[in-house]
Structures are given as C-alpha cells and as structure tokens.
C-alpha cells in the first residue's frame, strides 16, 4: 500500500469517528500527505492514559509519572481554554518513517519549540514502527499537551520554570494561551 493510500484510509477512519479533542480535520486538496486539524486540549484526571492499538488487538497503558508539584497543575491545565492549529506532514515513505507534527498556533509549552515542532516520544526513530497509526500519534500529542514532560523539553527554560514554580508556569501558559490560542468551536 502506498503512503497516499494509507494516509487517505487513516483520514477516512478518523473522520468517521473524530476524537473529541480534534475538530476541522482535513487534508490539502492537492496533497493527501499534508493534514490540518484543530486540537482541543481537555482536562484529564489521573496520571494514566490509554492508547488503543486496535490493529494489534491490545490496549497499551502509558503511565506518565509526574513529580508531586506537577500533580496540582494537571487539574487545571491552561491549554483547555483555547484550541491550537496543527499541521501533519507525511513522507512518501510513511508508514516506514513517522509523520511530522507541528503547531501552527503559538503555544507556551516545554515540549513544543517556538517554531511549533513537537517532542512526542512516539515519533522518535527509536519508538516508531509501521503499525502505529496517526490516531495514536494524535492521542499521544493530546496527552502531552495536557501533561507537559519537563524531562524531555525542547524549551529548557519552560521546563525549568514548570519544575521550579508550577503556579507561575501555569499563569504564564494561561496568559499565552488566551493571547495566541484559537477560540474553541462550540
């Protein structure tokens, strides 16, 4: 199966049952390998999230251990106040090479660079495999937005602030989100 066919099938599957944290998912008219979506981060509870690997017939629980000072932050994430535009680019070698995911809306987050690149472990060369679907990548991204990982930052200064003063980080992230985020669709 070519990359274009697989990506088109994954787009079709996602649009049939769009996760609640995604809206306005579409691809470029001339290129099915370029997707756009609106990410709607939502409050989540606990430190365990699940990714369904339907193709493989099992469910994988991903435990995200958090330092105690960050546990307070996850009950009031600032990112759920707005939404964020994403761009997803698939190479012609997909699924043998991972897609790239980029925020096109500015976000104050230790795992997202100022230019929008994202540090999602699932997309690394060490963790990627052809059985992973884009829905799993988007789920992992949604979890990462709700629960920043200061241990693998792209913006060290934000990770340091998150660890040293979680309340100040949350305040700055909220101000930034309100200024640059996209209004959430109703």
């Amino acid at each position: 199966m070519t990359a274009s066919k697989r990506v088109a099938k994954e787009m079709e599957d996602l649009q049939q049952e769009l996760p609640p944290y995604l809206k306005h998912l579409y691809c470029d008219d001339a290129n099915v390998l370029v997707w756009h979506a609106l990410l709607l981060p939502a409050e989540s509870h606990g430190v365990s999230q699940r990714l369904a690997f339907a193709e493989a017939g099992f469910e994988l629980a991903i435990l995200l251990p958090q330092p105690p000072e960050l546990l307070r932050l996850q009950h009031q994430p600032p990112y759920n106040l707005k939404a964020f535009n994403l761009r997803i680019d698939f190479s012609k070698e997909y699924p043998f090479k991972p897609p790239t995911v980029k925020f096109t809306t500015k976000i104050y987050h230790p795992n997202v660079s100022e230019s929008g690149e994202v540090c999602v472990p699932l997309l690394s060369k060490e963790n990627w495999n052809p059985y992973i679907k884009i829905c799993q990548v988007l789920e992992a991204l949604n979890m990462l937005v709700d629960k920043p990982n200061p241990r693998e930052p792209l913006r060290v200064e934000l990770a340091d602030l998150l660890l040293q003063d979680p309340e100040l980080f949350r305040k700055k992230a909220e101000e930034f989100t309100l200024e640059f985020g996209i209004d959430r669709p109703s």
Side-chain angles (χ1 to χ4, degrees), residues 24-95:
H24 310 305
L25 177 66
Y26 66 95
C27 61
D28 283 351
D29 291 334
N31 187 357
V32 73
L33 298 178
V34 178
W35 289 13
H36 303 274
L38 187 65
L39 180 71
L40 305 164
E43 233 176 288
S44 56
H45 303 286
V47 294
S48 173
Q49 295 287 333
R50 300 194 178 274
L51 289 176
F53 287 76
E55 286 283 308
F58 64 91
E59 191 174 271
L60 172 67
I62 296 179
L63 297 177
L64 301 171
Q66 299 285 341
E69 63 273 11
L70 297 184
L71 292 177
R72 290 180 308 220
L73 184 64
Q74 69 189 20
H75 293 296
Q76 41 182 283
Y79 307 108
N80 66 343
L81 300 172
K82 294 282 187 161
F84 303 89
N85 285 314
L86 300 174
R87 178 185 166 124
I88 304 154
D89 289 280
F90 299 88
S91 74
K92 291 182 180 184
E93 291 83 31
Y94 182 79

Side-chain angles (χ1 to χ4, degrees), residues 161-181:
L161 180 61
L162 178 58
L163 290 170
Q164 294 165 6
D165 192 343
E167 289 306 315
L168 179 58
F169 173 86
R170 190 197 65 72
K171 182 180 182 228
K172 287 185 171 195
E174 183 174 314
E175 290 169 359
F176 202 90
T177 298
L178 290 172
E179 183 176 347
F180 296 105

Side-chain angles (χ1 to χ4, degrees), residues 39 41 79 84-87 101-121 123 140-159 162 169 176-177:
L39 180 71
Y79 307 108
F84 303 89
N85 285 314
L86 300 174
R87 178 185 166 124
V101 179
K102 185 174 184 175
F103 279 81
T104 57
T105 304
K106 290 182 180 184
I107 184 170
Y108 188 90
H109 198 285
N111 306 108
V112 181
S113 73
E114 288 187 52
S115 60
E117 284 84 15
V118 182
C119 179
V120 177
L123 294 175
L141 177 64
N142 185 52
M143 290 176 0
L144 183 67
V145 168
D146 281 343
K147 293 182 180 69
N149 181 358
R151 292 183 181 95
E152 295 182 10
L154 290 175
R155 294 168 72 181
V156 175
E157 70 283 1
L158 298 186
L162 178 58
F169 173 86
F176 202 90
T177 298

Side-chain angles (χ1 to χ4, degrees), residues 126-142:
E126 301 81 39
N127 294 324
W128 182 257
N129 75 60
Y131 298 105
I132 297 172
K133 291 186 168 188
I134 192 63
C135 62
Q136 295 160 315
V137 171
L138 293 169
E139 177 71 23
L141 177 64
N142 185 52

